[in-house]
Amino acid sequence: MSVDVYINFNGNCREAVEYYAQVFETAKPQIMTFGETPPNPEYPLPDEAKELVMHTRLNINGSNVMFSDVFPGMPFVEGNNISLALVTNNTDDIKSFFNKLKEDGKVGMELQETFWSKCYGSLKDKFGIEWQFSHPSE
């Protein structure tokens, strides 16, 4: 189990992650855009989102650092664009930690299966810290 840093950008994620890969001499990042995600007819993807980065990551000196652009229309405040991501194969741990932290907090996305995770959810805890929980898909 690890807790990773997740940094959001306002449309310039690709530029930032390619810069960090060069600075820290990491492997070239694999980038998934919002346009590459499975379509959902209930939520059509706006054109301005298609080339934005949905997810990428770098391993910087043994630590996973994950990156994405915020979805168009979502709030972005520079300096408050970092969350902690707990990634584990233990669904019971995810549910336990999530349920404890959501007390007096605010849930952004209830725990659920997604195309990228067997169990994913996000919340802001009572101290204002953003958390993401994820069980990796196989």
Side-chain angles (χ1 to χ4, degrees):
M1 177 176 10
S2 63
V3 175
D4 300 328
V5 176
Y6 208 111
I7 306 173
N8 295 111
F9 292 86
N10 196 21
N12 59 343
C13 181
R14 183 181 302 272
E15 176 186 359
V17 76
E18 288 174 352
Y19 170 76
Y20 294 134
Q22 186 176 37
V23 167
F24 295 107
E25 300 175 358
T26 71
K28 185 177 178 181
Q30 294 182 342
I31 295 174
M32 174 185 260
T33 64
F34 286 105
E36 295 171 321
T37 62
N40 182 341
E42 295 177 30
Y43 302 100
L45 190 65
D47 287 339
E48 65 269 22
K50 291 181 180 174
E51 294 303 314
L52 294 177
V53 175
M54 182 187 158
H55 179 77
T56 188
R57 72 176 172 196
L58 297 175
N59 187 288
I60 299 174
N61 201 32
S63 295
N64 282 321
V65 181
M66 299 181 284
F67 306 84
S68 71
D69 282 310
V70 295
F71 197 79
M74 297 296 290
F76 176 84
V77 178
E78 192 170 296
N80 291 341
N81 54 325
I82 297 175
S83 61
L84 299 176
L86 189 139
V87 181
T88 179
N89 290 326
N90 189 323
T91 304
D92 291 336
D93 280 351
I94 290 173
K95 289 176 181 177
S96 174
F97 301 148
F98 186 91
N99 288 328
K100 289 175 185 175
L101 285 174
K102 81 177 188 180
E103 291 179 24
D104 299 321
K106 183 177 180 187
V107 173
M109 184 174 175
E110 285 290 348
L111 290 175
Q112 60 190 273
E113 187 169 352
T114 65
F115 73 88
W116 70 86
S117 174
K118 290 182 178 181
C119 183
Y120 177 85
S122 64
L123 58 83
K124 183 182 286 190
D125 71 19
K126 67 181 182 179
F127 298 105
I129 304 300
E130 295 279 348
W131 289 88
Q132 298 181 60
F133 295 86
S134 187
H135 181 299
S137 292
E138 299 305 327

